[in-house]
Amino acid sequence: MSTFAERKRTIRRVPVKWIVLAAYVLLVLLSRWVTSADRQAKPEKAHRVELRQIPAASEKALPIVVIPRLPDGGREWNRTAVDLVKTASLARERGPVYAARWPTAHHRSRESMSVGHFAADILAALESQLGAGRFHLVGEGMGGMVALELASRHPGRVASLTLISAPGAQEYTLLGNAVANKFVYFFHHLPFVLLDVATPHFGLADQIPYNRGYSGVFFDSDLSEAKAALRGWNGPALIVHGRSDWITPVDAARYSARLMPQAKLVELEGGHGPDLAVAAASEVMRFIADADAGKAPVRPAAVPAAERYPELVASGGARFWILVLIIILCTFVAEDPTCLASGLLAAEGIIGFWWAALACTVGIFIGDMVLYALGRWLGRGALRRAPLKWIVKEHEIDRMAGWFGSPRGLLVIVSSRFIPASRVPTFVTAGILRLGLPRLALLLFVAALVWTPVLMLLGSALGPPFMEQFPRYKQYAAWIVIGLFALIWFLTHWVIPALTWRGRREIVMKIRRLLQPSGWPSAVLFLPVRLGVALISLRHRSLTAFASANPSFGRIGGFTGDSRSLLMRPFQRDSRCCPTLALSSDDSSDERVREALAFSAEHGFPLVCKPEVSENGAGLRIVRDGVALERLMRAAEEDVVLQPFVRGREFEVVWRRNPGRDDGRIMAIVEKRAVTVRGDGEQTLEELIWLDDRAVARAALFLRCHSRELTRVVPAGETVILNPTGSYGHGARCVHRPDLLTPELDAAVTSFAKRFPGLHFARFDLFSSSTEEFRAGRFTCTEVGGCCQVSSLIRDGSLRFTRSYGAVWDQLRACIDAGAANLAQNVRPVPLDELMARWSEANGRADRFAVSED
């Protein structure tokens, strides 16, 4: 049984970010469970519309139904209805007033949050309370579109229609186009969705006014038929709008009045919100009284469907500047989609082409300048803190700093505007290097001005034909928007880069990584291996059976996360073992420096500095002089291991033996080959990496590892080794070499492994000067891994999956069977919590590639 202190030490091994993430996920799951009752499909709750009645002054007058604006979750959601009641001059002539509350808090089981669905729900609620009689409709803001929908579907039930600050025709809403608006509403809706599904709110997110239901109304609603609904209403109508409304321009109300000639248009001083509704109360009550008395004008005949709509009012005045402001703000979120949407708006005649281009250019320029300012004011240290560290990697700064120092530095800044994923690091780097602002600002503005019309022309050319077909498929609008995003991503990440040589080489890199399974991410490639560990362990009725294969070897049998120096300790007296110095973070920095310098004096430079706990070469540093060594030792915040840098060819050997027997044999041999490029005296290192057919497959990794010397012109004949170490994580090639297995090598590895009697499964990293020396059994061991440290032969792209995975599964069975046999002999099992804590410590590192401490 583990003591409290041991469990505390175990927990401390888990990276803090993983603990925080686990706690956060647990809270989210708990929140979902607590609110599960509300998350079941309950149409009677999700579709229930709350009707709050205000007593009538006259039982003979028709009821008045008020549909409020959004958001409606506050305490004053029925304020407009109350204001109507307070209008004393006509209080005796009014009927009962009902305020209809949107059921946005219970949105999860609704098919849609569109205004059309709400109109059906409100009608059902009215019928249950008022019967089949007629009523007056008053809609405020988005509630006006619900009222319009209800009146359009059931004209015989609606005695009059009043629209207060209502959007009206689609062309006057936001960007003026259903598809273009979807882009904006998508980014508007996304934060609310994440708040609902990815935060532990325990139901509180449903109670606030601005929730997922609120944003879902805008995202799901399609106002493209608003013009037809407005022109189709023949009954009494009142339109009240504020002249300075910045959300819905007054031009929208004027256009609605043209579509309904019988409508009375009242323009008031003011903007958008409850204050306008208060000012409009007397007008509304007077209009309803006229409608009850039959004095309100109506349209005698319906407008023929073939009749053309009135011409749209071109953007001007406040609407024009509001639209320009919207375009500028949208560029901060998504530059290229906004340019395409603006081109579509220009093609529709909603805004002039060059005005839209200027708005996009200004928005993009402001965004670029903000990135420059972040780099200039916060400096390089900001790259190590959130949120910049998630967006810009430090090696990208090193690479671009080299570019800026070249004669083509300014060209890099301009060209980054046309290269996806390079804009943010380019502009942040320019700020960190404090490049001259006047000249840089001019270049950035010119680059944006060149790039913007190109995308806008594309949007104006392709947009109108698409919009002609959109009404037929508008029920799939959300999927169309997602498809457009995918198309834009494909254009910007595949088509546009293909126009340049480097872009084409990047495409080659992506295709090779995609088509070559051996190059897939470890999480994908080793998933069958991890499933195999779990399945075979369950067969032995112990999840940690594999960790008992090597009793007392390290802390957890040599599994991932075990201490390197502890695993090397049993072999230190063997001359074939690489000298190893373990340095503890508990010691003082002076003591660490003294021991490290003494070790370097004995073994010379370069040295390899590794974390005690890591995987696949993460955190490894190559130290080439005493100054760098002292700096590294003083900055170290974890236990580290020092070793001499061993030259030669590297091999990975998996070895096993049966418990209780004096046997042992090699199961697999993998050679770790270096990836090299040869200089020609003309090409830079970066160009050589992109040119090499083998290096291009992992060009992104090699550019990261050599970010400080990418602009160096490699002399003719000089060979540059791209992978700093023999780890696949650093770019080495893994080649299965069963031809190297000889009786001499097998005997040498077995005698070396038996230095620790309890070792039954191990993986050794061995160096030798040549394959002949290796076959003869002469090698130097630099690292030892224990249980389930299977071979990397699945990284050999020349092998079929059936062969490579078959060999790895044989290794897993050998390890787990040995562990099960030891457990049967009453060997103490390894605690699961310690096993997972050490594994998470090894896999939770952010420094995944090696660098030289020059």
Side-chain angles (χ1 to χ4, degrees):
M1 183 70 67
S2 299
T3 65
F4 176 77
E6 290 174 341
R7 290 186 179 275
K8 186 176 180 180
R9 285 195 298 269
T10 297
I11 294 176
R12 288 180 61 187
R13 291 188 174 277
V14 181
V16 175
K17 62 180 181 181
W18 285 27
I19 295 177
V20 173
L21 178 62
Y24 188 84
V25 171
L26 182 62
L27 285 174
V28 170
L29 294 176
L30 183 60
S31 172
R32 303 287 287 184
W33 178 77
V34 168
T35 58
S36 60
D38 291 340
R39 296 172 187 275
Q40 302 301 320
K42 292 184 177 181
E44 71 281 359
K45 189 173 185 179
H47 296 261
R48 184 175 62 215
V49 176
E50 180 182 347
L51 288 177
R52 182 174 296 181
Q53 180 183 359
I54 299 174
S58 172
E59 295 295 338
K60 296 181 180 180
L62 293 178
I64 303 171
V65 178
V66 181
I67 305 176
R69 63 188 177 89
L70 284 175
D72 70 327
R75 291 176 297 178
E76 298 183 351
W77 63 272
N78 62 335
R79 177 176 174 180
T80 301
V82 173
D83 289 335
L84 294 180
V85 174
K86 290 180 179 178
T87 306
S89 60
L90 297 175
R92 295 181 179 179
E93 303 175 21
R94 67 169 175 81
V97 179
Y98 292 88
R101 187 175 191 179
W102 303 58
T104 53
H106 306 290
H107 54 80
R108 296 179 186 83
S109 57
R110 295 185 64 92
E111 178 184 354
S112 171
M113 300 295 293
S114 68
V115 294
H117 284 76
F118 279 119
D121 295 339
I122 289 176
L123 181 63
L126 290 173
E127 288 179 342
S128 65
Q129 192 158 342
L130 304 179
R134 302 175 74 221
F135 48 83
H136 298 282
L137 267 182
V138 179
E140 182 187 2
M142 202 65 174
M145 305 316 294
V146 177
L148 177 63
E149 184 75 17
L150 204 159
S152 177
R153 293 184 182 185
H154 307 280
R157 302 289 305 278
V158 180
S160 71
L161 176 65
T162 300
L163 303 178
I164 304 174
S165 301
Q170 174 73 74
E171 287 80 0
Y172 292 96
T173 303
L174 205 64
L175 292 179
N177 183 279
V179 176
N181 285 352
K182 276 291 183 182
F183 282 96
V184 180
Y185 288 143
F186 173 81
F187 289 107
H188 174 248
H189 187 46
L190 184 61
F192 293 99
V193 174
L194 294 177
L195 175 66
D196 177 51
V197 303
T199 59
H201 57 81
F202 294 94
L204 294 178
D206 297 333
Q207 309 306 319
I208 59 178
Y210 295 94
N211 57 19
R212 181 179 176 180
Y214 148 77
S215 63
V217 172
F218 296 95
F219 185 72
D220 289 345
S221 295
D222 177 18
L223 304 184
S224 57
E225 298 297 328
K227 281 196 299 187
L230 287 166
R231 191 167 69 171
W233 175 247
N234 299 321
L238 172 67
I239 302 174
V240 183
H241 217 90
R243 292 191 181 93
S244 57
D245 192 330
W246 66 277
I247 295 180
T248 302
V250 70
D251 289 337
R254 293 167 182 169
Y255 189 74
S256 297
R258 295 178 65 188
L259 292 171
M260 298 186 297
Q262 80 279 16
K264 179 183 179 181
L265 174 62
V266 177
E267 297 183 16
L268 301 176
E269 295 300 327
H272 189 101
D275 293 338
L276 184 73
V278 173
S282 59
E283 290 286 349
V284 173
M285 293 305 297
R286 188 176 296 111
F287 164 74
I288 291 175
D290 290 343
D292 280 335
K295 298 179 181 179
V298 296
R299 186 161 44 190
V303 179
E307 183 176 322
R308 296 185 62 182
Y309 288 106
E311 291 294 327
L312 293 169
V313 178
S315 297
R319 166 164 167 73
F320 170 78
W321 293 111
I322 290 170
L323 191 57
V324 168
L325 178 62
I326 291 173
I327 292 174
I328 291 175
L329 293 177
C330 287
T331 59
F332 298 159
V333 180
E335 296 177 357
D336 295 345
T338 301
C339 292
L340 292 170
S342 299
L344 178 59
L345 299 183
E348 296 285 326
I350 297 173
I351 189 173
F353 181 88
W354 290 111
W355 278 111
L358 181 60
C360 290
T361 302
V362 170
I364 292 172
F365 176 74
I366 293 174
D368 295 346
M369 286 292 95
V370 169
L371 293 174
Y372 173 86
L374 286 175
R376 188 180 184 104
W377 293 340
L378 300 181
R380 194 182 188 99
L383 301 179
R384 302 183 181 95
R385 298 191 297 270
L388 275 183
K389 72 175 184 179
W390 302 331
I391 304 172
V392 184
K393 303 301 181 184
E394 197 164 358
H395 70 272
E396 294 177 332
I397 303 299
D398 292 332
R399 180 177 62 180
M400 295 199 176
W403 285 351
F404 291 162
S406 67
R408 296 176 293 177
L410 295 179
L411 180 62
V412 171
I413 298 176
V414 177
S415 63
S416 66
R417 169 54 49 196
F418 312 99
I419 303 175
S422 67
R423 301 167 188 171
V424 174
T426 299
F427 304 144
V428 173
T429 304
I432 291 175
L433 298 181
R434 297 180 176 271
L435 299 186
L437 183 58
R439 189 178 185 184
L440 177 66
L442 178 62
L443 285 173
L444 293 181
F445 187 80
V446 171
L449 194 60
V450 171
W451 178 241
T452 298
V454 174
L455 286 181
M456 286 188 57
L457 286 172
L458 185 63
S460 62
L462 301 180
F466 171 78
M467 289 309 304
E468 292 178 2
Q469 300 297 322
F470 179 73
R472 298 173 54 189
Y473 305 101
K474 64 182 181 181
Q475 63 269 30
Y476 307 110
W479 292 107
I480 292 173
V481 170
I482 294 174
L484 287 174
F485 272 109
L487 177 62
I488 292 171
W489 178 87
F490 178 76
L491 290 174
T492 56
H493 286 74
W494 291 81
V495 177
I496 294 176
L499 302 178
T500 64
W501 174 81
R502 174 177 168 169
R504 290 191 292 272
R505 297 305 290 174
E506 288 182 349
I507 291 175
V508 170
M509 175 186 69
K510 295 175 183 177
I511 292 176
R512 291 192 178 181
R513 292 299 304 271
L514 183 65
L515 298 181
Q516 180 56 267
S518 62
W520 290 351
S522 297
V524 176
L525 191 63
F526 282 89
L527 180 60
V529 177
R530 291 166 181 167
L531 291 176
V533 173
L535 291 175
I536 301 176
S537 297
L538 287 175
R539 192 185 68 183
H540 291 286
R541 299 181 180 180
S542 173
L543 286 175
T544 61
F546 60 88
S548 299
N550 304 319
S552 301
F553 186 59
R555 299 291 186 187
I556 51 175
F559 186 61
T560 302
D562 221 335
S563 171
R564 280 191 169 92
S565 62
L566 198 59
L567 298 180
M568 292 289 290
R569 187 177 300 169
F571 309 98
Q572 285 294 298
R573 293 186 178 182
D574 195 307
S575 60
R576 294 169 293 185
C577 181
C578 181
T580 302
L581 174 65
L583 297 169
S584 174
S585 59
D586 295 333
D587 297 334
S588 66
S589 59
D590 292 336
E591 186 176 350
R592 288 198 304 268
V593 169
R594 185 166 54 254
E595 292 185 22
L597 292 177
F599 186 81
S600 65
E602 181 179 357
H603 300 285
F605 288 100
L607 296 176
V608 175
C609 180
K610 308 176 185 177
E612 275 280 20
V613 177
S614 68
E615 185 183 23
N616 207 15
L620 184 145
R621 297 290 185 270
I622 301 173
V623 188
R624 303 187 183 278
D625 57 54
V627 175
L629 180 61
E630 181 175 354
R631 181 175 64 247
L632 185 62
M633 290 300 101
R634 293 191 183 279
E637 298 179 353
E638 60 182 333
D639 298 345
V640 295
V641 171
L642 284 180
Q643 289 181 330
F645 186 87
V646 181
R647 304 183 186 278
R649 307 185 71 165
E650 183 174 356
F651 304 90
E652 175 190 274
V653 175
V654 174
W655 175 90
R656 66 155 297 190
R657 74 167 179 156
N658 295 303
R661 298 184 183 178
D662 190 20
D663 56 2
R665 67 180 181 88
I666 293 175
M667 298 190 72
I669 301 175
V670 172
E671 182 179 1
K672 305 293 187 66
R673 292 182 179 175
V675 179
T676 62
V677 292
R678 184 179 294 273
D680 58 2
E682 298 179 358
Q683 307 286 345
T684 64
L685 179 58
E686 181 178 9
E687 291 170 336
L688 292 174
I689 292 173
W690 287 117
L691 282 167
D692 189 83
D693 286 337
R694 192 179 298 279
V696 71
R698 305 197 70 185
L701 173 66
F702 295 140
L703 294 177
R704 174 187 285 183
C705 293
H706 298 271
S707 60
R708 301 177 184 178
E709 51 180 350
L710 292 177
T711 57
R712 179 175 71 92
V713 176
V714 182
E718 180 183 331
T719 299
V720 179
I721 300 177
L722 299 180
N723 51 297
T725 72
S727 169
Y728 177 81
H730 296 156
R733 291 174 54 214
C734 299
V735 181
H736 187 212
R737 296 298 304 272
D739 57 297
L740 297 180
L741 181 57
T742 62
E744 293 81 7
L745 177 63
D746 199 5
V749 172
T750 299
S751 67
F752 183 79
K754 287 182 177 179
R755 285 281 184 177
F756 187 80
L759 193 65
H760 300 99
F761 187 90
R763 186 180 69 186
F764 301 100
D765 288 345
L766 308 178
F767 281 80
S768 190
S769 58
S770 64
T771 54
E772 290 74 18
E773 288 288 301
F774 184 69
R775 287 166 60 90
R778 290 184 283 273
F779 54 78
T780 299
C781 178
T782 60
E783 195 163 319
V784 180
C787 55
C788 283
Q789 298 281 341
V790 294
S791 175
S792 300
L793 58 88
I794 56 177
R795 291 292 189 184
D796 187 350
S798 64
L799 296 180
R800 295 193 308 272
F801 262 10
T802 53
R803 182 181 178 187
S804 59
Y805 277 117
V808 169
W809 274 61
D810 287 341
Q811 297 169 25
L812 291 177
R813 277 191 290 267
C815 175
I816 298 174
D817 287 347
N822 288 328
L823 288 176
Q825 299 298 319
N826 296 322
V827 170
R828 178 181 177 272
V830 177
L832 180 62
D833 57 346
E834 182 175 2
L835 194 76
M836 296 307 298
R838 291 178 178 272
W839 179 87
S840 64
E841 182 182 5
N843 285 271
R845 305 184 64 91
D847 47 350
R848 306 300 301 176
F849 62 98
V851 297
S852 175
E853 292 292 330
D854 290 333

